[in-house]
């Protein structure tokens, strides 16, 4: 039984609280948040206790692991705190918005030797994982082209976008990770074009809401990722891999599988209304993988180094978006 503390009681913290409380191998002990009332409310809802301080939440005598779901600007300091306490850590992306700072804290964590994992939950999507296994089997042959789509139904609040790091670091980074995970290699070059089409305020803060990123893999294979913040038809996520011997797709997921036929017309269920409805099961699956790694004293399946490499792609992509020029990715 792994004793856990949850750091952060906001929206994503509440998602992880449900997963922690439901996992049979987890003793969900503490919730800490800068807002004590919010921590107390979330803890009470899931049979945990509100930690009175970070020291209590990171106490190795009481806790084996922490789930860091606090604000982005606290991820690195909380990872460092876990390393110093000698307890395992599962952390939301990014490790830190500043890549040099992220590299520094990863080195600190690795020196401490604690198990640590980035919550790249989309790796644990059932269909994406099946696509990965198919690529690994060699049935598709050598990868020639990958196409990934990430289209959200609604623009996030402008106040959120101001501190998100931009579309490449916030939205596309999940798909940069999926590319290197599925392909089994790191992209070497990226070229991005983007526009702000849904709200002029996006351009005013120096961001985009619609973009296409083209990446080159070491063997010459190409990758295209289209990322959109606002659609008129729901949340759309899919991946296609074209190989020398065939093609496979992890397709868009509908909210249901019923098609109605009336007269000469047919109507099917549309896509999920939001990104969370589409990816919700992946959060519990990612936690389960981390707990299994802890139980077996194994390396977690999405390491902090994986987080750094996806972030390095995002940094090069951001620079390409700003300059209009292709960028070599420096890991």
């Amino acid at each position: 039984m792994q004793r856990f503390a949850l750091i952060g009681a906001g929206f994503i913290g509440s998602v992880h609280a449900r997963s922690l409380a439901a996992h049979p191998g987890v003793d969900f002990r503490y919730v800490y948040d800068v807002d004590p009332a919010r921590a107390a409310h979330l803890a009470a809802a899931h049979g945990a206790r509100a930690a009175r301080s970070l020291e209590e939440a990171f106490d190795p005598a009481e806790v084996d692991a922490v789930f860091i779901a606090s604000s982005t600007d606290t991820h690195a300091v909380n990872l460092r705190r876990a390393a110093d306490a000698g307890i395992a850590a599962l952390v939301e992306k990014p490790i830190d918005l500043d890549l040099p700072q992220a590299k520094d804290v990863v080195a600190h964590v690795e020196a401490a030797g604690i198990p640590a994992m980035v919550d790249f939950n989309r790796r644990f999507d059932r269909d994406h994982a099946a696509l990965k296994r198919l690529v690994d089997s060699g049935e598709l042959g050598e990868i020639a082209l990958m196409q990934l789509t990430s289209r959200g139904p609604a623009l996030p609040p402008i106040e959120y976008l101001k501190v998100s790091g931009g579309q490449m670091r916030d939205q596309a980074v999940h798909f940069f990770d999926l590319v290197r995970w599925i392909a089994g290699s790191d992209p070497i070059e990226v070229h991005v074009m983007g526009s702000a089409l849904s709200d002029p305020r996006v351009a005013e803060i120096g961001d985009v809401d619609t973009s296409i990123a083209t990446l080159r893999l070491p063997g010459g294979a190409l990758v295209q990722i289209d990322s959109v913040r606002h659609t008129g038809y729901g949340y759309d996520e899919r991946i296609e891999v074209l190989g020398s011997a065939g093609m496979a797709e992890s397709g868009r997921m509908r909210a249901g599988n019923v098609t109605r036929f009336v007269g000469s017309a047919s109507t099917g269920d549309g896509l999920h209304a939001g990104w969370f409805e589409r990816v919700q099961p992946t959060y519990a699956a990612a936690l389960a993988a981390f707990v299994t790694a802890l139980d077996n004293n194994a390396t977690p399946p999405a390491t902090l180094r994986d987080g750094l490499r996806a972030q390095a792609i995002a940094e090069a992509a951001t620079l390409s978006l700003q300059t209009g020029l292709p960028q070599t990715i420096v890991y």
Side-chain angles (χ1 to χ4, degrees), residues 130-153:
L131 180 63
K132 160 71 171 170
R133 290 191 295 270
L134 190 60
V135 171
D136 288 348
S137 74
E139 184 176 338
L140 301 181
E142 296 296 320
I143 294 176
L145 179 67
M146 295 178 66
Q147 296 191 168
L148 300 88
T149 289
S150 167
R151 300 178 188 168

Side-chain angles (χ1 to χ4, degrees), residues 38-287:
R38 188 164 64 174
H41 178 76
L42 186 61
H46 296 286
R49 289 171 284 170
R52 293 165 293 184
S53 65
L54 281 169
E55 287 73 23
E56 186 175 22
F58 284 83
D59 182 358
E62 293 288 328
V63 170
D64 301 307
V66 290
F67 201 139
I68 300 169
S70 48
S71 60
T72 296
D73 60 340
T74 66
H75 290 180
V77 68
N78 283 328
L79 267 175
R80 190 177 294 271
R81 188 183 290 270
D84 292 342
I87 57 179
L90 175 55
V91 62
E92 276 291 321
K93 64 84 185 165
I95 297 166
D96 191 272
L97 280 175
D98 180 77
L99 185 56
Q101 172 65 22
K103 289 180 177 179
D104 183 66
V105 75
V106 169
H108 185 81
V109 170
E110 290 178 342
I114 66 164
M117 173 173 150
V118 177
D119 189 32
F120 276 137
N121 56 297
R122 280 170 173 79
R123 290 189 179 204
F124 303 93
D125 178 273
R126 179 198 65 190
D127 295 341
H128 296 349
L131 180 63
K132 160 71 171 170
R133 290 191 295 270
L134 190 60
V135 171
D136 288 348
S137 74
E139 184 176 338
L140 301 181
E142 296 296 320
I143 294 176
L145 179 67
M146 295 178 66
Q147 296 191 168
L148 300 88
T149 289
S150 167
R151 300 178 188 168
L155 187 73
I158 293 296
E159 292 306 311
Y160 170 81
L161 294 181
K162 286 179 180 178
V163 298
S164 70
Q167 191 179 48
M168 297 300 103
R169 299 186 183 102
D170 180 56
Q171 181 180 3
V173 68
H174 281 286
F175 296 83
F176 296 147
D177 177 68
L178 285 173
V179 167
R180 56 182 305 275
W181 176 60
I182 292 171
S185 62
D186 290 313
I188 58 175
E189 185 181 17
V190 61
H191 190 190
V192 182
M193 296 179 66
S195 299
L197 301 177
S198 63
D199 190 322
R201 293 177 297 169
V202 175
E204 291 170 6
I205 63 172
D207 201 1
V208 298
D209 54 40
T210 305
S211 64
I212 295 176
T214 302
L215 301 96
R216 188 185 304 275
L217 295 175
L222 299 177
V223 178
Q224 179 173 284
I225 304 172
D226 72 87
S227 301
V228 178
R229 290 287 199 184
H230 174 73
T231 72
Y233 65 96
Y235 181 73
D236 191 355
E237 177 173 319
R238 45 201 153 96
I239 305 172
E240 180 185 289
V241 178
L242 173 66
S244 57
M247 184 273 285
E249 180 185 29
S250 174
R252 56 165 58 100
M253 188 179 292
R254 295 180 180 272
N257 295 301
V258 175
T259 302
R260 294 163 290 283
F261 296 87
V262 179
S264 61
S266 63
T267 305
D269 292 314
L271 304 184
H272 290 285
W275 65 269
F276 179 69
E277 292 87 344
R278 166 65 176 80
V279 305
Q280 184 175 3
T282 66
Y283 289 107
L287 172 66

